[in-house]
């Protein structure tokens, strides 16, 4: 019998698991994919929003600002890449300037620090590649960029180190309500639990329906992106937004914590959270919009296109409340943008709500709240030499684009949550993140996974289920 079961291990589920792992609780995390951070968490803008956009008084506003305040210290504790670079919301007309005033007023009411409305010339002094059509901007110094899947993985790993149990490939298919506990039916078996947290993202409405009552309707949207080569990384010094519309915050241009430039997203309504395809029309829309903000974007320098689906619902605010027809379930749904920014505050708020629902919270005496990750290329020369003396595998570079060593990859393979795919290593260690997108290092990473986990290379996946790379052997015995 588990005390609490969390359904879903994106950044929200992982944040909740991390926070709950500080207490004497038997926590289970159920994830339907073969790894954590496989949904919206690995396909988003990677931004920590300042908090000027949400309407004052909403849960989104409260948790966005609080999450932004918490994020930098959390990332330091967990060795997650984070950089507070600030953001600019651009105005191209008098109508846009009036909207900046509204955002400024929102931000002041929400408690966002340091907001300023500046002229177009002042904005270009801060970010020289802004177009001449920019007439004003809202500057928010507290905005930041982050590694979103890195945060989710770090929190999930730390929760596991603290005793939480993670079950991947465990899709929830139904539930039964007993007198003082719940039974969750999954593709990995049945699990008894006293309480459930529904953090299933785009599938949250399906989990809600299992309680016998539909509380909201899904209204998901797909957003498409360009990820640019590092040669384009200096085109923006801040997160560059345009004035938001009814579709969302619009197309942004921003540096990433890995040194690239990200451009996107658009917003296309979809019915399926797996609708992650990119389209010519969608990417053209993103390209056209981005050129309003930044001069000199050469989209031929794109190294990858991708899309993510936002878990939008028919309710405008975050949904964090006990289920209407299941008092032992806490819904954490509709966590659209700025959900990543709010993640640590959402977790904090969920712990408070669970306590109100009857969960007994007793702090652990020896809670592990930190995690260290070695990034070889960021070490000094002396530190590199000392590390190689201790472990020669750190002296062998596997990913040339990102200077990722064999030692880092092996460390990732044997981490608390064992990755089963090449992209699982990519998200943990960074191998394959560079210009060639794994064209050189991919086969070597596959070989390392197979050898370290003592499994056939034919069973190593590129990413999710059904993505095997090797299907047969040649007559000479080589895989193909």
């Amino acid at each position: 019998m588990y005390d609490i079961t969390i359904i879903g291990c994106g950044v929200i589920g992982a944040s909740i698991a991390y926070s709950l792992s500080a207490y004497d609780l038997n926590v289970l995390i159920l994830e339907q994919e073969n790894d954590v951070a496989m949904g919206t968490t690995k396909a988003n803008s990677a931004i920590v929003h300042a908090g000027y956009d949400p309407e004052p008084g909403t849960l989104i506003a409260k948790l966005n600002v609080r999450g932004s305040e918490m994020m930098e210290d959390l990332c330091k504790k967990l060795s997650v890449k984070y950089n507070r670079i600030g953001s600019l919301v651009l105005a191209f007309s008098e109508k846009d300037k009036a909207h900046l005033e509204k955002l400024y007023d929102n931000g002041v009411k929400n408690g966002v620090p340091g907001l300023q409305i500046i002229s177009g010339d002042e904005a270009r002094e801060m970010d020289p590649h802004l177009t001449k059509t920019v007439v004003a901007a809202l500057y928010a110094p507290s905005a930041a960029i982050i590694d979103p899947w890195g945060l989710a993985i770090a929190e999930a790993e730390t929760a596991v180190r603290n005793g939480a149990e993670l079950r991947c490939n465990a899709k929830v298919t139904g539930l039964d309500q007993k007198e003082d506990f719940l039974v969750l039916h999954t593709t990995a078996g049945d699990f008894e639990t006293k309480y459930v947290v529904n953090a299933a993202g785009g599938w949250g409405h399906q989990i809600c329906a299992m309680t016998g009552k539909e509380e909201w309707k899904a209204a998901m949207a797909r957003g498409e992106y360009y990820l640019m080569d590092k040669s384009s990384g200096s085109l923006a010094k801040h997160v560059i937004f345009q004035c938001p519309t009814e579709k969302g915050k619009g197309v942004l241009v921003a540096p990433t914590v890995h040194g690239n430039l990200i451009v996107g997203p658009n917003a296309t309504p979809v019915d399926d959270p797996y609708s992650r395809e990119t389209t010519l029309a969608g990417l053209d829309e993103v390209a056209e919009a981005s050129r309003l903000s930044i001069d000199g974007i050469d989209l031929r320098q794109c190294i990858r296109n991708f899309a993510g689906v936002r878990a939008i619902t028919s309710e405008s605010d975050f949904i964090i409340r006990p289920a209407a027809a299941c008092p032992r379930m806490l819904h954490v749904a509709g966590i659209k943008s700025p959900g990543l920014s709010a993640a640590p505050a959402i977790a904090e708020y969920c712990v408070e709500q669970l306590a109100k629902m009857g969960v007994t919270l007793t702090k652990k005496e020896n809670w592990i709240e930190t995690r260290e990750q070695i990034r070889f290329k960021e070490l000094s020369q002396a530190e590199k030499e000392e590390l190689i003396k201790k472990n020669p595998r750190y002296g062998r570079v596997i990913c040339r684009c990102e200077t990722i060593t064999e030692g880092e990859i092996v460390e990732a393979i044997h981490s608390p949550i064992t990755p089963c795919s090449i992209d699982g290593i990519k998200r943990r260690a960074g191998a394959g993140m560079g210009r060639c997108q794994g064209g050189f290092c991919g086969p070597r990473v596959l070989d390392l996974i197979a050898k370290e986990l003592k499994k056939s290379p034919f069973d190593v996946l590129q990413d999710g289920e059904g993505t095997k790379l090797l299907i047969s052997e040649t007559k000479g015995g080589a895989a193909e």
Side-chain angles (χ1 to χ4, degrees):
M1 175 76 71
Y2 296 93
D3 294 311
I4 300 175
T5 297
I6 301 165
I7 302 175
C9 201
V11 71
I12 301 303
S15 296
I16 296 168
Y18 172 74
S19 293
L20 288 175
S21 73
Y23 301 93
D24 284 323
L25 295 167
N26 190 10
V27 176
L28 172 67
I29 314 159
L30 298 176
E31 170 53 54
Q32 66 179 354
E33 304 290 350
N34 63 6
D35 199 359
V36 304
M38 291 286 279
T40 305
T41 298
K42 72 170 185 177
N44 60 76
S45 303
I47 304 300
V48 179
H49 295 276
Y52 50 75
D53 192 49
E55 285 297 316
T58 62
L59 197 55
I60 292 180
K62 173 185 173 182
L63 298 180
N64 182 170
V65 175
R66 172 62 178 154
S68 178
E69 291 171 351
M70 298 171 69
M71 192 68 80
E72 185 170 12
D73 183 57
L74 177 64
C75 288
K76 284 180 181 177
K77 287 179 179 177
L78 295 175
S79 191
V80 174
K81 285 181 174 290
Y82 170 98
N83 191 3
R84 191 182 294 275
I85 60 172
S87 67
L88 294 168
V89 184
L90 307 183
F92 303 98
S93 66
E94 290 302 314
K95 181 180 177 181
D96 285 349
K97 287 173 71 174
H99 197 94
L100 293 188
E101 295 284 356
K102 182 180 186 302
L103 294 177
Y104 176 86
D105 290 341
N106 276 1
V108 171
K109 291 174 183 175
N110 292 342
V112 180
L115 289 176
Q116 300 177 53
I117 293 180
I118 59 177
S119 69
D121 288 339
E122 289 173 317
R124 278 181 287 274
E125 287 181 12
M126 295 174 65
D127 234 300
H129 292 282
L130 293 181
T131 62
K132 293 180 180 179
T133 56
V134 176
V135 298
L138 175 66
Y139 174 49
S142 61
I145 53 178
I146 192 174
D147 176 354
W149 55 85
L151 176 61
I153 290 168
E155 290 186 305
E157 285 183 354
T158 308
V160 169
R161 288 169 63 207
N162 279 298
E165 181 181 342
L166 171 68
R167 295 289 188 100
C168 290
N169 298 307
K171 181 178 180 178
V172 176
T173 57
L175 68 85
D176 292 327
Q177 298 190 54
K178 304 299 183 180
E179 185 176 345
D180 56 358
F181 67 96
L182 301 172
V183 179
L184 293 173
H185 306 294
T186 82
T187 52
D190 293 347
F191 300 93
E192 295 181 348
T193 183
K194 295 175 184 176
Y195 295 89
V196 168
V197 176
N198 172 15
W203 293 266
H205 64 292
Q206 297 177 9
I207 302 300
C208 178
M210 293 175 190
T211 68
K213 184 175 178 61
E214 183 184 82
E215 297 186 43
W216 65 87
K217 294 185 181 298
M220 295 172 283
R222 180 180 65 236
E224 298 166 65
Y225 293 86
Y226 288 86
L227 181 67
M228 309 296 289
D229 184 66
K230 290 183 178 180
S231 60
S232 299
S234 61
L235 282 176
K237 298 181 181 299
H238 303 80
V239 180
I240 307 299
F241 294 104
Q242 296 169 6
C243 278
T245 68
E246 66 280 356
K247 288 186 176 181
K249 294 182 174 65
V251 171
L252 63 82
V253 180
T256 73
V257 291
H258 302 101
N260 306 86
L261 190 78
I262 192 169
V263 182
N266 60 341
T268 303
V270 294
D271 296 324
D272 183 357
Y274 280 120
S275 182
R276 303 170 189 165
E277 65 273 14
T278 54
T279 65
L280 179 59
L283 292 172
D284 282 348
E285 179 186 353
V286 170
E288 182 178 358
S290 69
R291 294 189 180 105
L292 294 174
S293 300
I294 296 286
D295 280 327
I297 294 182
D298 182 1
L299 294 173
R300 293 173 298 180
Q301 298 299 313
C302 175
I303 60 174
R304 194 175 192 88
N305 293 116
F306 66 93
V309 176
R310 305 165 213 168
I312 304 170
T313 72
S314 54
E315 298 191 19
S316 60
D317 208 349
F318 288 162
I319 299 169
I320 306 178
R321 61 177 183 247
C326 184
R328 289 183 172 270
M329 177 180 286
L330 178 66
H331 289 315
V332 188
I335 310 299
K336 56 192 174 183
S337 178
L340 170 62
S341 315
I346 288 172
E348 182 181 67
Y349 185 77
C350 287
V351 172
E352 294 171 0
Q353 299 311 302
L354 288 165
K356 292 178 182 178
M357 292 166 64
V359 175
T360 300
L361 299 175
T362 304
K363 278 277 191 178
K364 289 178 178 174
E365 292 184 5
N366 299 306
W367 179 47
I368 302 168
E369 60 177 329
T370 61
R371 184 204 67 154
E372 293 184 8
Q373 183 176 16
I374 294 172
R375 296 187 178 94
F376 183 81
K377 64 182 177 182
E378 297 177 6
L379 301 178
S380 68
Q381 186 60 36
E383 289 171 329
K384 289 176 181 177
E385 292 173 359
E386 184 64 27
L387 183 60
I388 292 170
K389 285 180 183 178
K390 293 179 180 178
N391 185 348
R393 299 182 97 164
Y394 282 96
R396 292 191 282 273
V397 173
I398 302 297
C399 174
R400 294 180 179 178
C401 295
E402 295 296 306
T403 319
I404 307 300
T405 65
E406 182 176 316
E408 291 166 276
I409 292 168
V410 171
E411 185 75 18
I413 292 171
H414 296 292
S415 62
I417 301 172
T418 305
C420 61
S421 69
I422 295 171
D423 280 1
I425 295 297
K426 178 180 179 179
R427 289 186 289 273
R428 287 163 173 80
M433 285 283 291
R435 179 176 290 181
C436 83
Q437 287 289 288
F440 173 78
C441 66
R444 301 177 74 187
V445 173
L446 184 151
D447 186 55
L448 282 170
I449 294 172
K451 288 179 177 177
E452 291 296 318
L453 299 181
K454 296 180 173 53
K455 63 194 298 184
S456 167
F458 293 97
D459 294 329
V460 178
L461 303 172
Q462 178 66 46
D463 199 7
E465 290 303 311
T467 60
K468 289 183 179 180
L469 293 178
L470 305 179
I471 57 174
S472 65
E473 291 185 5
T474 64
K475 290 183 180 180
E480 63 177 11

